[in-house]
Amino acid sequence: SELADARKEMRTDLAKARKDLLTESLGLENSLRFGKDSDRRPHLPKAEITPQGDFLIEGKAQAIDPRQRRELLTYRGQVIDIAIRGVDIGERAGQAALDAVGTSWMGMLFGAMTGSLERRVERVVRQQVGPGVRDICRQLPEVHATQQRLASTLPAFRPYATLDRDDIDECETEVRREFATR
């Protein structure tokens, strides 16, 4: 019953996260920060893209034309798609963990002692989580291109265009390294 409750709570929380991503403004000041330099980037004022495509800095709407609004909405959609894929991956990983402990206590104890429980979870991660993370990495070049178009046409957006080619390359490298060792 506790596992059933945990599954229900996880599904409810993740459904809310998906809904919030789709209906709330997308914060930019801390989004798409990768790698070692992510903590050394300068503090940026709060910026967001609303579901309607408005670009706000510190709550103040920035002047945009219809083409910029379309680009902002495209960028917002791309980032939200990545975030939702991340939620989906987290849900699969959480489900795998719950399935792994969903056996009897004796079976779980034996599995933990023999390492079969860890191997079973790692196998699920490799088979289900790894490909999802790789797909996210493969979306980054398109996000980068949209981000660069916005930065070139909307000067106020430039400080928030933090994704670069090294980040994209590092994503693929990290995924290969993490999933090759498991």
Side-chain angles (χ1 to χ4, degrees):
S1 132
E2 288 178 14
L3 284 174
D5 290 344
R7 282 184 174 89
K8 181 179 177 185
E9 184 178 342
M10 180 180 69
R11 280 192 304 270
T12 301
D13 289 348
L14 294 177
K16 182 184 180 322
R18 287 181 189 97
K19 180 181 176 267
D20 290 349
L21 284 166
L22 293 170
T23 60
E24 294 181 0
S25 293
L26 173 69
L28 298 176
E29 64 275 5
N30 292 313
S31 68
L32 294 177
R33 291 184 171 220
F34 292 90
K36 300 176 280 282
D37 295 333
S38 66
D39 294 333
R40 291 191 293 237
R41 291 188 179 148
H43 173 72
L44 296 171
K46 181 178 178 174
E48 54 195 340
I49 302 170
T50 68
Q52 296 75 32
D54 294 312
F55 180 49
L56 310 177
I57 297 179
E58 295 293 341
K60 184 179 175 198
Q62 304 300 297
I64 58 171
D65 62 34
R67 190 185 83 223
Q68 291 166 328
R69 182 179 305 278
R70 282 190 303 276
E71 284 290 330
L72 286 162
L73 286 169
T74 296
Y75 179 73
R76 182 180 187 281
Q78 290 169 332
V79 173
I80 288 173
D81 185 50
I82 287 172
I84 287 175
R85 285 176 185 246
V87 170
D88 293 344
I89 291 166
E91 184 172 26
R92 285 194 300 270
Q95 189 64 44
L98 289 171
D99 289 347
V101 298
T103 61
S104 70
W105 285 105
M106 190 60 114
M108 189 172 67
L109 181 60
F110 180 75
M113 288 176 18
T114 63
S116 65
L117 177 64
E118 182 179 353
R119 287 190 301 277
R120 187 168 56 236
V121 171
E122 285 181 352
R123 184 174 52 251
V124 169
V125 167
R126 228 183 3 262
Q127 293 171 347
Q128 295 182 17
V129 175
V133 176
R134 273 188 216 89
D135 286 344
I136 288 174
C137 290
R138 290 178 185 134
Q139 286 183 284
L140 294 179
E142 187 176 328
V143 173
H144 179 258
T146 303
Q147 193 179 70
Q148 294 308 301
R149 282 192 305 273
L150 273 167
S152 71
T153 64
L154 185 58
F157 184 84
R158 281 185 196 133
Y160 304 95
T162 58
L163 183 65
D164 61 30
R165 286 297 322 167
D166 289 343
D167 296 328
I168 295 166
D169 295 340
E170 188 174 318
C171 183
E172 288 277 351
T173 301
E174 283 297 314
V175 169
R176 279 193 299 274
R177 183 180 7 242
E178 283 296 316
F179 292 99
T181 61
R182 294 184 182 268

